[in-house]
Amino acid sequence: MLKLSRLADYAIVILVKLGEQDGVVTSPALAGITGVPEPTVAKVLKVLSAHGFVLSQRGAKGGYRLARSLAEMSVASVIAAVDGQIALTACVGGRECDTGLSCGLCGSWDVINTAIRSTLEGISLESMRPKEACSTVLHQINKLNVAQTIREGA
Amino acid sequence: MLKLSRLADYAIVILVKLGEQDGVVTSPALAGITGVPEPTVAKVLKVLSAHGFVLSQRGAKGGYRLARSLAEMSVASVIAAVDGQIALTACVGGRECDTGLSCGLCGSWDVINTAIRSTLEGISLESMRPKEACSTVLHQINKLNVAQTIREGA
DNA sequence: TAATTAAAGACCTGAATGGTCCTGTTTCGG
DNA sequence: CCGAAACAGGACCATTCAGGTCTTTAATTA
Ligand code: SF4
Ligand code: SF4
């Protein structure tokens, strides 16, 4: 359905919420903040930690904190870390389609793939923040609409 | 994984291949052309017929043919027909997230959602054709890159 | 050093998708 | 008129993988 996995969605939410906190935050605390079940939060944080998005502090009084600012994290990188590389079809980067058919559309899909990926690359988590970032997002969508107009005009 | 469902992929391929044939084509024939298993081809064609993408001719010497030209079909419309509306997250159009959490990011996701959807709307199946359409696709990607550059420059 | 606390890893369950098949209806050819 | 061919529609099963739960392991602190 061209939908994002729920884990990836949660990862974005968790990172944004984590960025709004001070100091280290524990998994149960983040679960309370986000409303996501605690084990799931822990699982997501594990993945994010393994990919260097958050720094973990073990032991008593431990927890997580961001490894870098939200502005330095793109939506695409988080999705790629949680769900694997963005690939609309099976034939990206020259990989063979399981049916072994050479439909010749691979190149076209690669183009679309790259377009969507780069679009998501250009959106930072900072832009996803609700409050004061609304204007930022609207700013970006205005740019996108302009781009869209340009492309449709062709 | 932000991947397209296989059925949707097949639908695109089948439509493009169907557009390259003359007259009506049977499911088995299309299966031979595309390499997709025949029952799956039939299933996809049924869906496409129900949504008005192809016209069906029943009985002996029957088959399928395009209802309109490839240029009049967008990638997004085919995906929506096969897989349902494009929606990255559970909270689009004001629908509530199943966790019931008001994370406040919904608006931002809606923006991204719309951007991707409109991008796919702007790509026609004619642009997906392999041979002479390559230049067309490259043409489009150049436009997208320009748009990307504009947005990143902000 | 021992108790406390949280991260890290392994495991299991269930829903959704993909794929298959069967029956009925319609049309053309003999 | 009869039979073969092809679509229409639905039901059915099998597989995958996302989602969630559990146990183990390590670090911090008193
Ligand atoms: S080769 Fe064709 S059918 Fe296979 S994944 Fe690529 S576009 Fe889809
Ligand atoms: S409300 Fe938040 S967590 Fe729920 S689907 Fe929307 S963005 Fe994701």
Side-chain angles (χ1 to χ4, degrees):
Chain A
M1 203 195 288
L2 191 53
K3 70 191 298 187
L4 212 55
S5 88
R6 201 176 301 182
L7 275 301
D9 180 9
Y10 290 165
I12 305 281
V13 176
I14 289 170
L15 283 174
V16 171
K17 295 294 181 184
L18 184 57
E20 294 176 348
Q21 310 298 321
D22 297 343
V24 295
V25 186
T26 66
S27 318
L30 269 174
I33 293 172
T34 59
V36 178
E38 192 276 328
T40 301
V41 173
K43 185 175 195 174
V44 171
L45 283 172
K46 270 174 245 173
V47 176
L48 292 176
S49 175
H51 285 80
F53 288 95
V54 297
L55 299 177
S56 61
Q57 179 72 19
R58 297 175 61 149
K61 189 129 174 310
Y64 292 97
R65 70 190 161 84
L66 291 182
R68 51 184 185 274
S69 77
L70 290 177
E72 295 296 321
M73 299 179 183
S74 71
V75 173
S77 63
V78 176
I79 294 175
V82 176
D83 283 348
Q85 186 55 281
I86 295 173
L88 267 68
T89 57
C91 61
V92 285
R95 248 179 307 285
E96 186 81 2
C97 177
D98 53 347
T99 65
L101 55 96
S102 59
C103 70
L105 303 183
C106 313
S108 305
W109 277 121
D110 266 337
V111 168
I112 297 177
N113 223 1
T114 304
I116 290 181
R117 196 181 300 177
S118 58
T119 297
L120 292 179
E121 290 278 356
I123 300 179
S124 71
L125 291 194
E126 181 68 31
S127 308
M128 299 292 291
R129 295 186 59 184
K131 325 232 169 83
E132 71 276 24
C134 274
S135 60
T136 304
V137 175
L138 288 178
H139 197 213
Q140 289 191 355
I141 193 60
N142 282 339
K143 296 288 178 53
L144 284 172
N145 282 339
V146 170
Q148 184 67 20
T149 304
I150 293 173
R151 185 155 48 72
E152 283 175 353
Chain B
M1 202 195 289
L2 191 53
K3 71 191 297 186
L4 212 56
S5 86
R6 202 174 303 183
L7 274 302
D9 180 10
Y10 289 164
I12 304 282
V13 175
I14 289 170
L15 282 174
V16 171
K17 294 295 181 184
L18 184 56
E20 294 176 349
Q21 309 300 320
D22 296 343
V24 295
V25 187
T26 67
S27 321
L30 270 174
I33 293 171
T34 60
V36 178
E38 193 276 329
T40 302
V41 173
K43 185 175 196 173
V44 171
L45 282 171
K46 273 174 238 173
V47 175
L48 292 177
S49 175
H51 284 80
F53 288 94
V54 297
L55 298 178
S56 61
Q57 179 71 20
R58 295 175 62 148
K61 189 126 175 314
Y64 294 96
R65 69 190 162 84
L66 291 182
R68 50 184 185 273
S69 78
L70 290 177
E72 296 295 319
M73 299 180 184
S74 73
V75 173
S77 64
V78 176
I79 294 174
V82 176
D83 282 348
Q85 186 54 280
I86 296 172
L88 267 69
T89 57
C91 60
V92 285
R95 249 179 304 287
E96 186 79 3
C97 175
D98 54 346
T99 66
L101 55 95
S102 58
C103 71
L105 302 184
C106 313
S108 305
W109 278 120
D110 266 338
V111 168
I112 297 176
N113 226 355
T114 304
I116 291 181
R117 198 180 300 177
S118 59
T119 297
L120 292 179
E121 289 279 356
I123 301 178
S124 71
L125 292 194
E126 181 67 31
S127 308
M128 299 291 290
R129 296 185 59 183
K131 326 236 170 83
E132 72 275 23
C134 275
S135 59
T136 305
V137 175
L138 289 178
H139 197 214
Q140 290 191 353
I141 192 61
N142 282 338
K143 297 290 178 53
L144 286 172
N145 282 339
V146 168
Q148 186 67 20
T149 304
I150 292 174
R151 186 154 49 71
E152 284 175 353

